[in-house]
Amino acid sequence: MKKLTTLIAAAALTLGLAACTSIAPVNATSNPVGSKVGEAETMTILGFLTLKPKALYADYSIQTAAKNGGISRISTVDVYHKNILNIISWTTTIVTGE
């Protein structure tokens, strides 16, 4: 029984420290899906140290993503999350449209 408990604890620790990636739809409009894609990204360490040299915070808003892609009519908005060992994480807002 002790070996089984140790095995379960080791598996839980491994899964808790592994990298995780997800992408989720946030919004969609009635506009047709366009050919342009805009992205805005942030990278953090320990959840609060933003790696952006000239700012105290990172702007990964829908508006910034649309501006980066030259989009004036938004079709879809997705958010992509990735983390490694629950220490370093990335969040990217992805906007499509024309």
Side-chain angles (χ1 to χ4, degrees):
M1 185 67 180
K2 189 173 182 178
K3 288 182 181 181
L4 180 61
T5 304
T6 304
L7 180 63
I8 291 172
L13 180 63
T14 301
L15 290 175
L17 295 177
C20 180
T21 302
S22 67
I23 189 164
V26 174
N27 197 4
T29 66
S30 59
N31 296 332
V33 177
S35 59
K36 296 180 182 178
V37 177
E39 296 184 355
E41 181 180 57
T42 183
M43 178 180 172
T44 59
I45 297 177
L46 300 175
F48 65 94
L49 297 173
T50 301
L51 297 180
K52 193 159 183 143
K54 296 184 180 180
L56 295 175
Y57 64 93
D59 183 6
Y60 55 101
S61 65
I62 295 170
Q63 182 178 6
T64 301
K67 181 180 175 183
N68 290 344
I71 298 170
S72 59
R73 296 182 65 202
I74 296 173
S75 301
T76 64
V77 179
D78 297 320
V79 176
Y80 172 78
H81 296 283
K82 179 179 179 180
N83 78 56
I84 297 176
L85 299 175
N86 293 322
I87 296 171
I88 301 171
S89 65
W90 294 265
T91 302
T92 305
T93 303
I94 306 164
V95 175
T96 63
E98 286 297 327

